[in-house]
Structure formats: C-alpha cells, structure tokens
Amino acid sequence: MQSAGKAYRIKADVIRWELHQDGVLRQLALRYTQALMTQMAQSIVCNRHHTVDQQLCRWLLLSLDRLPGNQLNMTQELIANMLGVRREAVTEAAGKLQAAELIQYRRGRITVIDRPGLEVRVCECYKVVKSELDRLFLEIPPPLPLAPRARPSPATLRRRAEARLQQTDIAELAVQPRNTEHLVHELQVHQIELEMHNEELRIAYDEADALRARYADIYDFEPISYVTIDPEGTILDVNLAGAILLGIKRSQKGRKRFAAAIKPEYLPIFNQFLAAALISRNKESCEIALLPTGQRPETMVRIDAVHDEAEQECRMVIIDISVEKAAEKAILERSQYQRALLDNFPFSVWLKDKDSAFLAVNTPFAKNYECSTAEALVGKTDFDITSRENAVSRQNEDRSVRQGGTPQHTEKIVEIDGEQHCFEIYNSPISIDGQSTGTMGFARDVSERHFAIEALKESEQRFRRFIENIPLGISITQDGQIKFINPKGADLIGYNPEDCIGRDFLSLIHEADHPVAKEVHRRRMAGDTSTAQYDVRILHKQGHAIQFRVRASAVEWEGRIANMSIFEEVTESQFAHAELRRLATTDSLTELANRRQFMERMAEALSRFHRDPEQIASVLILDIDHFKNVNDTHGHATGDAALCLFSSLLRDELRREDTAARIGGDEFAILLPGSDLHSATTFAERLREKIAETTVSMGNGKLAIAVSIGIAALNATDTTTDQALARADAALYSAKSAGRNRTEVATNISSKADTGRHESV
C-alpha cells in the first residue's frame, strides 16, 4: 500500500462467478489488465533508454494522476525498488528536482510544487502510458444489457436443478419410469443442499473453534487472575495469572487448596466469604492478604465471586489491590500529616462550606472558643461560638468573598482583657470545577509586629522631617538610579524631588566628571564602607553647571547596599581655587596637560614600575613636522589651529588612563601605562596615519600636517623620568633624520617585557 484510500473485500467464489457473467466488472478487469501490460512494457523501454531523472518524473506524474492532491508518501528506498535503480541514483535525481524547485522532499514525503516543470522534463513514455490509460478508462462504452441473473444460493439451487432436468435429453428419460426420474432429481437437489449445509456447518465449527481458542487465550493470558474452587476450597481451574499469583503450577491445581495461599489472620474472613458465595444469588466480595511467594511479596487482593448453577463451584476473579491500598495508606498518612500541620500552626485556621458552616478547623481555633477537640466544631456556624453581631459580620464577609471570587486580607484591632490586640485575617474563596463551594481562612495575632510597624512609621516620619529640613543636599543612588533626594538637594539644582526619583544620576553630572562619579558609585555598591570626598559639577535644570563638594558613603536602602551622597555648593573662592589648579596643570591652547602635570604622571608611573616590574609603561615624544614653516608662511593663527586640530585627534585616540601633554611649542608627549613597546608602536602608527590623512582648511586651500614620533619604555634601571624621556627624544631625532613622518623606537632597552620587539618603522 503506497497511499491511503478506499478498498473493497469480496469472497473469491463471488468474484469468480461475477467475472464469468461478461458484465461491467469483467470489462473493467480486462481493461485494467491491458493498461497494466502497457505500463509494464513501456517501463521496460524507459528503464533501458532514459535517465533516472526522466524515470523519476514519469513515476511522479503517473502517481499524481491517481491521487487527489500533490503530495506523495514514499521513501527513496521504495522509489528505487519501483524504478529498479540504486537508492543513491534516486537521491541524486530528487536533489536535482528539488534544486530546480519542482518538488520539495522531506523524509518519506514528496510534494510536487511545479507539475508543468515535471511534464517538460519527463520522457515520452509518460505520454504513451497516459494516452493508453485515457483510452481505456475515459472512453468506456456503455455495458450491454444482460438478462436478469442471480448468484447460486440455497434458495435458487432447486430452481437451477429443475432447469437442468428440463434440458436433459428426452431420449435418456424415456428409458426410465417417471417416478424414478423425479426421485433422482430430488436426490440430486437434496445432495447439493446437504453439501452446502455441510460446508456452512464446517465453517461454523471452524469459527466456533477459533472463538474457543481466542477466549482460551484471553482466559490464560488475561492479567487478572481467575480461580475456580469447590466447596472445600480445592482449586479446580486457574489461569496463568492466577497460578503466578498463588505461586503454583497449573498442572498441580487439583492438589492445591486456595486457603494455603492466604495469610492466617484472613482465613476466617475467606471462609465466611466462600460460604456466602456458594449460596448467594448476588456477587460476593472480600479483601484478604496473600502470603508472599518467591516471585512476589505479601499482596492485598480483592475477590469477586459467583457460584455455578449446581452451587458446587465458586468462580472467583482476583485483583491485586496492593498499589491501591498503598495509595490509600499514603493518602491517610498525608491526611494525618496535614492535620498535624494545621494543628501545629501558631494561628487559627478554618474551612467553611457555602452556608458558612465549619467543615474543618485546627486545634488552636478550637481552643480559642474553649472546645475540647477540633471535630466538635464541624457542622457548627459562627452563631454557635460567638456573639450574634460578630457572627453576622463574619457571614457577610464570607458572602462577599464568595461572590467577589478574590481573597480578602484585613487587620482588625480587638480589645482583650483591657489590652488592644491586632489580628491579621485572611479569607479566600474555594472553587471546584468553577463553582464556589465555600471559604477558607486563617487569623493570627500580629500585635507585636503591628505596633512595631506603627512605631517605625512614626520614627521614619521624624527622620524624614529632619532630612527634609537639613540645609544640605542628600541623595541616595542605587544601581545607577536616584532613589531619594531631599527637597534642599532638589532645590539646589532647580528640580522638584519627584522629577529626580528614578533618573540616571549621571544625567545630572557634567560629562567631564562622569569617571570620578561612576568610580565612587561603583565602590560604594561593591561594599566599600569608607567615606569618599570629591568635587563634581552638577547640571542645573536651566542648563548651567554648579560646583559641588560631595561626601559619599555606603548605606542600606530597601535591603540592599546603596550610595548616600551629602553635597553642598562650593563657594566662589573654592571654585576659583579649583579653576586655578586646573589652569596650573592644563595647556590653555590645546587643553591638554602641561609639562608639569605630565612630569608628575611620569613620576607616578616610574614609582609603580619600581614597586611592581609588571606595571610596564611606554612614553611617546611627538613633534609636528615643519611646524615653523607653517607659522612663518601662514601665520600664527593657522599654526594655533593646527595645534588644536592635532590635540583633538590625539584626545580621540587616548584611553582614560593615558596622559597627553604639550611640553613645548609644537612638541607633545604621551604616557601609556600598561603598554609595552609593541602596543605603543601600534598606537603611534595609528595616530600618525590618522594625522597624515587630516588637513587644515585655510582660506581657499588646505594645509596637510604630519608628525614624527619617538617611543621608549620605562626601564628598571631608570632612576628619573628624564632618562626615559631622553631615550624617546633620541628616537624622535632619529625619525626626523630619517625623513620625518615616521615612528622610531629607542633601541637601548633592556626591559624583560620588551625583549625582541625593538624595531624601526
């Protein structure tokens, strides 16, 4: 069967008789035979003379002609068998058709997406076969009229016998008496009828034997045990499952008693059950335990039994219920555990039905109402245990919860023995299959927590009033966001406190001060409890920057570490002092560090290198080529513009830990901490190429600039920063002597980290 469809089944003698009647079925059968022979002959020719691709197309199209859709369920192995070729050839051919987007192939399934494309590729064999099929089946002539006919049956045999008798030669009949002829005819008819009846009986006996064998198999191999015993308990019959359950051989069934497999304490129960089963008109049942055998442990079973008509046999169906009993035991234990859990809760728990009657309560609930046991309250209502006013209130609450379908969580203040107590009450609806069936809830005394929270709220209000009235700005940041800011702090920068909550704190800080602010925030969030003090510029709402002095420390906010900042505005003199310090360390034209600031950073790097030789660093000396000609030819304004452009390009290439400085007119220096000579050379070449590609616009023309660079690394033998600078300066001189616009590396280096990397570029 290649594809799903409908089929019909008919007995062989019926189809054989029908094919001899020269009717429509016979015509169709002959036409089908002719079509099949044509297809077989053409397939032989096609397999001999055409490619596998063409054969596959022919087979696909012929299959589609017999299917309602465009999908075939067929494996490549089956296709290969149909075409008589290797499977690899079918795989290759199918791959070509899929690549041409004619078919889609998935494992065991072919979908034709372009039938016209297949018809273009197919050989002429498809057309020959299809034309023959159309001729044979699309142009079937109407069937010839046939005389009424009936297939042989017991009802028609007599008439057929009489018809044959009438066709018998009269001369043969003349030699016999008339009564003999009639007798012979009757005997022939009866003989045929008897033969047919015997055939039907044989078939019926065969079916009965098959049914008996089938039911015997069902009886023997049924997983449920069947045992038949006599009134004394002797086993008369047992199926395979029963023999295994009892641990006996079926051949020994007549010598075994069923009671021998029963656990002794259950024998009275079984004997009473057997006596009742032998006389009762109804099915009897019992549950007993069977002794363990070599194949199974001790087993609990349920026995259903009826007796035979003579009341001499008890026929039992035995079902193993050990798992069921274990489950019942587990459920009982779980119920006991749940009861123990409820009874050991330090608060009252209850369960009510839809009429607010108690279905279950725990022991603390019963003790609150002076009941000896929790079961004593089952079936009662609130009217039985409290005042009418309280009972009405509770029933109204239950009704509201059931109708609303949502839990209620409340706290109530109750006076007990002259003292106020706070109770937390939880009430929730219970639904089964979408229908409200009751409520459940609990109540507990939370007086200590309630009054502690109230005291905490009062303390928090006092603290909040103190923070809001303090003349300093206070903010708390966590995970980069502002979680709190007091009114004074928000007022200092022109905002309302609500406008600041949730904002990124860096959005309020001047961009140049982001590094120090982020570092302080990171250290506080990492758990650093020390207090840090730094100056930072905060952006006012109107856009201008205000200088603040900030003291940062770590605090706990909502259970996690946060950064608390106390900030005050710096006075004008302090701001001027900071500005003077900036001017003292910054070149006014290029806004890079000046020589003094650079030498301080060089000294710090050399000190770190002496403490830890792994803290390597490189220094670069840069000089703008022919800068004097630029000033002399184009003027100092153009020269200053070139210096500013050069400084801007330089800043774009620096890391945060790098330092660049202007140490002379057109001479610059760069300190690269953590970089060896190889990394420094890569950086220098990238910077040199970037500058060489940049021009300065001046009037109607453009001015190109270039730079020469000398590189040196800090050496373990250096005692002053001037030694490294001298080596870098010597390398710069070599670059100029070699034609400028070059990078040179100092060669008299003995640093272990840079051995073998000294080269000129």
Side-chain angles (χ1 to χ4, degrees):
M1 184 64 65
Q2 298 178 9
S3 300
K6 292 183 179 180
Y8 299 91
R9 184 174 60 180
I10 192 170
K11 291 184 177 181
D13 59 339
V14 177
I15 192 68
R16 188 179 298 110
W17 180 86
E18 183 65 36
L19 290 174
H20 282 82
Q21 301 306 309
D22 197 19
V24 177
L25 180 61
R26 182 175 181 179
Q27 294 182 36
L28 287 174
L30 292 174
R31 288 174 180 270
Y32 171 75
T33 305
Q34 175 65 23
L36 184 62
M37 293 174 64
T38 301
Q39 185 173 351
M40 292 171 59
Q42 198 65 37
S43 297
I44 294 172
V45 175
C46 187
N47 293 345
R48 177 67 177 85
H49 297 285
H50 296 143
T51 64
V52 177
D53 296 2
Q54 293 173 316
Q55 296 178 46
L56 180 58
C57 291
R58 172 180 59 81
W59 183 85
L60 291 175
L61 290 172
L62 287 174
S63 299
L64 285 181
D65 291 341
R66 290 156 178 78
L67 294 173
N70 64 339
Q71 192 174 88
L72 296 86
N73 297 324
M74 188 72 64
T75 63
Q76 291 187 0
E77 184 176 359
L78 186 54
I79 297 173
N81 292 335
M82 296 290 294
L83 299 180
V85 297
R86 294 170 57 247
R87 179 179 176 179
E88 291 78 5
V90 174
T91 302
E92 182 180 358
K96 292 179 181 179
L97 296 181
Q98 182 162 318
E101 298 183 352
L102 300 178
I103 65 171
Q104 286 182 350
Y105 179 74
R106 298 290 184 271
R107 184 172 181 85
R109 180 174 298 176
I110 299 175
T111 302
V112 177
I113 58 178
D114 186 2
R115 179 178 178 124
L118 288 179
E119 293 176 349
V120 171
R121 290 194 176 212
V122 74
C123 58
E124 63 273 13
C125 298
Y126 167 69
K127 186 175 181 180
V128 172
V129 175
K130 189 174 188 308
S131 299
E132 183 66 7
L133 291 175
D134 292 343
R135 184 185 70 82
L136 291 171
F137 293 105
L138 296 181
E139 302 173 2
I140 300 178
L144 297 174
L146 298 176
R149 54 201 174 86
R151 189 161 48 84
S153 66
T156 61
L157 283 174
R158 184 180 184 91
R159 291 195 300 270
R160 293 185 61 190
E162 291 175 351
R164 287 199 302 272
L165 181 60
Q166 293 176 1
Q167 296 172 1
T168 305
D169 190 354
I170 301 300
E172 296 178 0
L173 296 178
V175 299
Q176 298 180 1
R178 181 64 182 176
N179 57 350
T180 304
E181 297 173 0
H182 184 72
L183 180 61
V184 171
H185 170 70
E186 289 294 333
L187 288 175
Q188 290 175 343
V189 172
H190 286 304
Q191 180 182 2
I192 295 173
E193 291 177 348
L194 286 174
E195 289 177 356
M196 293 192 67
H197 288 183
N198 289 336
E199 179 66 18
E200 291 179 356
L201 284 174
R202 185 185 63 77
I203 294 173
Y205 281 131
D206 290 343
E207 291 178 353
D209 291 341
L211 288 174
R212 184 166 55 252
R214 183 189 310 170
Y215 288 117
D217 290 341
I218 293 175
Y219 176 79
D220 284 338
F221 296 104
E222 174 69 30
I224 298 176
S225 302
Y226 297 111
V227 181
T228 302
I229 60 176
D230 62 12
E232 287 73 31
T234 303
I235 299 175
L236 301 177
D237 197 8
V238 61
N239 70 341
L240 183 60
I244 295 174
L245 180 68
L246 299 177
I248 64 174
K249 295 181 179 180
R250 298 179 68 183
S251 59
Q252 302 173 348
K253 59 186 179 183
R255 302 193 298 272
K256 298 290 183 178
R257 299 192 63 208
F258 187 81
I262 301 176
K263 199 172 181 180
E265 54 263 37
Y266 287 90
L267 281 174
I269 298 175
F270 176 75
N271 292 332
Q272 183 179 359
F273 158 77
L274 178 60
L278 288 171
I279 61 176
S280 176
R281 294 184 178 181
N282 301 319
K283 180 182 70 174
E284 295 291 327
S285 300
C286 73
E287 293 181 359
I288 60 173
L290 299 181
L291 293 169
T293 66
Q295 290 76 32
R296 60 163 179 80
E298 179 181 317
T299 304
M300 285 294 300
V301 297
R302 182 175 69 247
I303 303 177
D304 296 328
V306 295
H307 60 76
D308 66 337
E309 292 77 2
E311 299 182 359
Q312 296 301 311
E313 293 182 1
C314 179
R315 297 166 181 171
M316 302 185 299
V317 177
I318 306 175
I319 301 174
D320 186 348
I321 59 172
S322 301
V323 176
E324 179 181 340
K325 287 296 182 181
E328 290 179 0
K329 182 180 179 182
I331 292 174
L332 179 60
E333 290 180 352
R334 184 163 63 248
S335 176
Q336 293 173 346
Y337 283 133
Q338 290 173 349
R339 167 54 61 180
L341 176 65
L342 290 176
D343 289 342
N344 285 280
F345 276 163
F347 45 82
S348 301
V349 180
W350 64 87
L351 177 66
K352 296 180 180 180
D353 62 15
K354 61 182 180 179
D355 297 321
S356 292
F358 292 108
L359 297 174
V361 299
N362 68 340
T363 300
F365 185 94
K367 289 182 178 179
N368 285 341
Y369 295 96
E370 299 179 353
C371 291
S372 58
T373 63
E375 288 74 15
L377 288 176
V378 175
K380 295 185 178 182
T381 66
D382 292 302
F383 289 97
D384 299 318
I385 60 176
T386 186
S387 66
R388 180 175 180 80
E389 181 181 358
N390 286 338
V392 171
S393 175
R394 293 178 184 179
Q395 287 202 352
N396 289 336
E397 291 173 357
D398 293 341
R399 188 180 303 108
S400 175
V401 168
R402 289 197 305 271
Q403 294 176 354
T406 57
Q408 289 184 358
H409 190 193
T410 59
E411 290 187 359
K412 291 184 179 180
I413 304 296
V414 180
E415 186 173 339
I416 301 177
D417 297 333
E419 294 184 359
Q420 285 191 336
H421 289 260
C422 179
F423 285 91
E424 178 187 20
I425 302 174
Y426 179 85
N427 208 359
S428 174
I430 297 177
S431 298
I432 299 177
D433 295 332
Q435 299 294 325
S436 177
T437 59
T439 59
M440 65 83 59
F442 68 81
R444 58 178 176 174
D445 190 340
V446 293
S447 302
E448 183 177 354
R449 186 193 70 182
H450 173 78
F451 294 118
I453 291 176
E454 291 298 321
L456 181 62
K457 288 181 179 178
E458 184 179 352
S459 174
E460 182 182 359
Q461 290 176 355
R462 290 197 301 268
F463 172 75
R464 184 175 293 276
R465 287 194 295 269
F466 170 75
I467 293 296
E468 289 178 351
N469 292 295
I470 198 170
L472 297 174
I474 300 178
S475 68
I476 294 178
T477 56
Q478 189 180 65
D479 300 328
Q481 292 185 342
I482 299 175
K483 299 296 184 180
F484 169 81
I485 187 169
N486 67 339
K488 178 63 177 179
D491 183 64
L492 287 173
I493 57 177
Y495 288 91
N496 294 321
E498 296 78 12
D499 298 335
C500 299
I501 302 302
R503 291 188 59 170
D504 184 357
F505 80 99
L506 289 175
S507 65
L508 298 177
I509 296 177
H510 193 279
E511 185 178 359
D513 296 333
H514 281 188
V516 62
K518 288 198 296 186
E519 178 61 22
V520 171
H521 181 80
R522 185 194 65 79
R523 291 174 59 187
R524 297 290 87 74
M525 296 300 295
D528 187 352
T529 58
S530 62
T531 301
Q533 178 174 307
Y534 62 98
D535 291 341
V536 67
R537 286 166 289 180
I538 299 180
L539 300 176
H540 194 272
K541 186 176 182 180
Q542 296 180 356
H544 61 277
I546 304 175
Q547 190 76 18
F548 284 91
R549 178 155 295 164
V550 182
R551 294 175 180 84
S553 58
V555 295
E556 184 175 327
W557 180 268
E558 296 181 348
R560 297 194 298 118
I561 295 296
N563 179 45
M564 183 179 73
S565 300
I566 301 175
F567 53 94
E568 59 179 338
E569 187 175 355
V570 178
T571 62
E572 293 183 2
S573 60
Q574 291 173 320
F575 180 78
H577 178 74
E579 182 65 17
L580 288 174
R581 177 173 177 81
R582 187 187 68 81
L583 293 174
T585 59
T586 305
D587 179 68
S588 59
L589 177 62
T590 62
E591 295 186 359
L592 298 176
N594 58 17
R595 184 181 185 88
R596 176 182 176 184
Q597 179 72 1
F598 183 78
M599 297 306 294
E600 289 179 358
R601 296 291 175 85
M602 279 285 293
E604 294 172 0
L606 183 61
S607 177
R608 287 194 299 269
F609 183 69
H610 285 161
R611 290 194 301 270
D612 183 6
E614 297 296 328
Q615 297 291 328
I616 59 176
S618 297
V619 59
L620 286 69
I621 301 295
L622 304 87
D623 188 76
I624 299 178
D625 295 335
H626 307 295
F627 186 72
K628 185 175 182 303
N629 293 339
V630 175
N631 282 334
D632 294 342
T633 305
H634 303 287
H636 289 282
T638 302
D640 291 346
L643 291 176
C644 291
L645 175 62
F646 174 79
S647 302
S648 176
L649 296 174
L650 178 56
R651 275 194 299 271
D652 292 342
E653 297 295 325
L654 295 178
R655 300 171 300 176
R656 187 175 61 182
E657 61 269 23
D658 298 337
T659 301
R662 182 186 180 192
I663 59 177
D666 61 336
E667 191 173 17
F668 296 82
I670 303 174
L671 176 64
L672 302 176
S675 297
D676 56 16
L677 285 178
H678 181 73
S679 299
T681 303
T682 303
F683 168 82
E685 275 298 293
R686 184 171 67 251
L687 177 62
R688 183 187 64 78
E689 292 175 356
K690 183 176 182 180
I691 293 172
E693 296 172 354
T694 306
T695 58
V696 179
S697 298
M698 36 168 282
N700 296 328
K702 292 186 178 181
L703 173 65
I705 59 175
V707 64
S708 298
I709 305 175
I711 307 174
L714 295 184
N715 197 336
T717 60
D718 292 341
T719 56
T720 65
T721 58
D722 292 337
Q723 293 171 299
L725 289 173
R727 292 195 298 274
D729 195 56
L732 173 63
Y733 181 77
S734 299
K736 288 185 176 183
S737 300
R740 301 180 184 272
N741 192 19
R742 294 174 59 84
T743 298
E744 291 287 345
V745 180
T747 56
N748 56 339
I749 300 300
S750 59
S751 173
K752 178 175 65 175
D754 296 314
T755 302
R757 295 181 180 173
H758 309 144
E759 58 182 351
S760 296
V761 180

